[in-house]
Amino acid sequence: MANTTVHIGCGAGFAQDRTDAAGPVVDTLIAAAAPAFLIFETLAERTLAQAQLRHQQPGGTGYLPAMLNFVGPVLEKCLKNGIRIIGNFGAADPLGAGRALREVMNRGGFSDRPIGVVLGDNLLERVSPEEIRHWPLEGAVQDPTVARIVAANAYLGAESIAEALDRGAQIVITGRVADPALALGPLAHHFNWEWTDWDRLAAGTLAGHFLECGAQVTGGYFADPGMKDVPGVADPGYPIAEVAADGSLVLGKAAGTGGLVSLATVKEQILYEIHDPAAYLTPDVTLDITGVQLAAVGRDRVAVRGARGLARPRQLKATVCMAGGWMGEGEISYAGPNALRRAELAIEILQARLAKLLPSLPVHFDIIGYSSVFSSSSGPRRPFPEVAGVPDARVRLATRGSDRRLVERAVAEVEALYTTGPAGGGGVRLQVTETLDTASCLIDRELAASRVELL
């Protein structure tokens, strides 16, 4: 078993993250002169659904369009300094992502560096849409028994990532995997952890949980002026975990950057998306964080130990995407004296018009900046009396339906307010987009056959 501490840095926490964030992380990894990996977490349920739509279009690209924007600026440095890259850029087409990166590496003189592609999360390779329709899909807006199944993907674990690294891959590209697996894979590979060593797998999963959201743990999502101030928040460094063979770690960030790593930022992130602190389910292990201990060990450095693990769940999570019809949005602004009352009158006009013209369409109204979180289909409520004198207000109408023409007709009513009142409306924006409905369920592990291809 290798005993050297492994450094794992994160270069992105979601698909629209900053593409220059990985640079300082890589420089810090190089300076540490330790075994190092760089992960990119770019795949949310929505991102995968959008990729599935693109992949089904003629000539469409199913992998993350920004992949090369993320990897390109640091690729040569990583390859020359032995920093191996793991990213879930593959989305709906991991092989396509691997081939695109293979071309770039070949042109850059790195044709001898293998790329590992993890496959097997696409359940439609093994299960028919008809069977999927009758799965117990939770949270579906559409009726799964009649909706068109666009995609179904299982959340794979870290074993195939580790296998790809074992086989010499310098870059590993995945589709749908559990987010912490991006870090657990290289840790299990380097330390040769057994896949039943639940405490170490739990520790590696916790390391991945800290890293997966990028600057969220280094002050970005933490910042709240006057309440939780963060220095240099315009340029927060992205996180780096220094992990020992027993799974204990020190969490820090890229050198020479803003942001903050503190007991408070780490505590917020450790609870992020955790439903049961004693049983956080992942494909590789059931993580128990109830005994985790934290200690500040330096500026922007927090030590973490005490993760415990239980056996992995018998089932895997799967996300199913169904065709969701069309969503329409229309916005218009009112400013100056009595702006709020004019915005409310605009909503009253739209409600009356749509109730007569398109009674079957659901509608939702907001006044952005005043009541966009606390609004409903019946219109905005007045939650904050102190903003009654707002100098400008922006009305938003949202609707959805299976017939694009009806949705377009509904949002056109917003633009008609230019001349039909109230007074002084402007800045109209209309948009109609195709939507996907996503729902989740648990499936038997045997339905997902993970495998690795080297390019």
Side-chain angles (χ1 to χ4, degrees), residues 2 25 46 99 134 153 175 251 264 267 348 352 420:
V25 174
R46 180 189 66 174
R99 291 173 182 133
H134 297 285
N153 296 83
L251 192 67
K267 287 176 183 178
E348 293 169 13
T420 60

Side-chain angles (χ1 to χ4, degrees), residues 54 106 157 219 329 384 407 424:
R54 290 195 310 271
N106 289 350
E329 297 175 275
F384 304 122
V407 173

Side-chain angles (χ1 to χ4, degrees), residues 378-428:
S378 60
R381 298 194 291 272
R382 291 178 177 265
F384 304 122
E386 65 270 22
V387 300
V390 292
D392 62 80
R394 187 160 181 83
V395 171
R396 174 180 177 269
L397 157 73
T399 185
R400 66 182 295 171
S402 58
D403 189 326
R404 178 170 184 163
R405 293 170 300 174
L406 297 183
V407 173
E408 290 173 340
R409 178 71 181 85
V411 299
E413 286 293 318
V414 175
E415 191 162 23
L417 295 176
Y418 264 138
T419 57
T420 60
V428 169

Side-chain angles (χ1 to χ4, degrees), residues 6-76:
V6 173
H7 292 215
I8 302 182
C10 177
F14 73 116
Q16 283 75 44
D17 212 338
R18 295 174 179 170
T19 56
D20 61 343
V25 174
V26 171
D27 291 341
T28 305
L29 294 177
I30 293 172
F37 300 86
L38 177 66
I39 69 171
F40 291 88
E41 201 292 285
T42 62
L43 193 58
E45 286 77 5
R46 180 189 66 174
T47 317
L48 178 56
Q50 293 168 339
Q52 297 287 6
L53 280 181
R54 290 195 310 271
H55 193 44
Q56 293 175 18
Q57 302 300 316
T61 300
Y63 56 87
L64 185 73
M67 175 182 68
L68 297 179
N69 296 335
F70 281 115
V71 176
V74 296
L75 180 61
E76 184 173 354

Side-chain angles (χ1 to χ4, degrees), residues 28-368:
T28 305
L29 294 177
I30 293 172
F37 300 86
L38 177 66
I39 69 171
F40 291 88
E41 201 292 285
T42 62
L43 193 58
E45 286 77 5
R46 180 189 66 174
T47 317
L48 178 56
Q50 293 168 339
Q52 297 287 6
L53 280 181
R54 290 195 310 271
H55 193 44
Q56 293 175 18
Q57 302 300 316
T61 300
Y63 56 87
L64 185 73
M67 175 182 68
L68 297 179
N69 296 335
F70 281 115
V71 176
V74 296
L75 180 61
E76 184 173 354
K77 273 189 177 181
C78 286
L79 293 175
K80 287 184 175 180
N81 288 277
I83 299 172
R84 299 162 86 173
I85 298 171
I86 302 94
N88 52 12
F89 305 115
D93 187 14
L95 274 176
R99 291 173 182 133
L101 192 55
R102 176 78 277 161
E103 292 182 8
V104 171
M105 291 172 63
N106 289 350
R107 291 197 300 268
F110 297 103
S111 58
D112 59 333
R113 307 296 181 91
I115 297 174
V117 179
V118 175
L119 302 168
D121 64 297
N122 181 6
L123 295 171
L124 289 176
E125 294 178 348
R126 301 167 63 86
V127 186
S128 71
E130 186 58 35
E131 182 178 348
I132 293 171
R133 292 183 199 280
H134 297 285
W135 286 355
L137 298 172
E138 296 182 5
V141 176
Q142 308 298 311
D143 180 354
T145 63
V146 297
R148 179 171 66 89
I149 303 297
V150 175
N153 296 83
Y155 283 71
L156 302 180
E159 289 191 56
S160 289
I161 296 173
E163 178 191 339
L165 296 169
D166 290 345
R167 293 170 61 183
Q170 300 300 296
I171 298 177
V172 181
I173 293 175
T174 77
R176 178 75 279 170
V177 297
D179 297 347
L182 298 171
L184 177 58
L187 290 171
H189 154 75
H190 180 81
F191 292 122
N192 195 29
W193 285 341
E194 296 291 337
W195 292 103
T196 54
D197 189 341
W198 304 124
D199 284 348
R200 284 184 170 80
L201 296 180
T205 295
L206 182 57
H209 180 66
F210 284 129
L211 296 172
E212 67 185 61
C213 294
Q216 190 163 291
V217 74
T218 58
Y221 196 70
F222 176 83
D224 191 354
M227 304 291 290
K228 299 182 297 180
D229 292 314
V230 176
V233 71
D235 184 28
Y238 280 47
I240 298 172
E242 303 168 16
V243 187
D246 65 356
S248 61
L249 66 93
V250 174
L251 192 67
K253 66 181 182 67
T257 59
L260 174 69
V261 177
S262 69
L263 291 174
T265 68
V266 173
K267 287 176 183 178
E268 284 200 6
Q269 179 61 26
I270 200 174
L271 294 174
Y272 174 70
E273 291 185 337
I274 297 286
H275 292 260
D276 182 350
Y280 177 51
L281 305 180
T282 78
D284 301 294
V285 66
T286 300
L287 168 63
D288 178 357
I289 63 170
T290 58
V292 168
Q293 299 175 351
L294 308 177
V297 292
R299 182 177 178 180
D300 294 317
R301 290 176 64 79
V302 173
V304 183
R305 64 172 58 248
R308 298 295 304 276
L310 301 170
R312 63 173 62 98
R314 293 193 300 270
Q315 295 176 300
L316 295 176
K317 178 182 176 181
T319 295
V320 176
C321 299
M322 294 161 280
W326 302 88
M327 183 177 76
E329 297 175 275
E331 297 178 6
I332 186 169
S333 290
Y334 298 90
N338 209 29
L340 180 57
R341 184 65 191 99
R342 283 183 282 135
E344 291 173 329
L345 177 57
I347 290 175
E348 293 169 13
I349 293 169
L350 291 170
Q351 286 175 323
R353 291 281 297 171
L354 294 174
K356 180 176 69 173
L357 297 173
L358 300 165
S360 64
L361 283 186
V363 291
H364 180 97
F365 294 100
D366 303 308
I367 297 180
I368 297 172

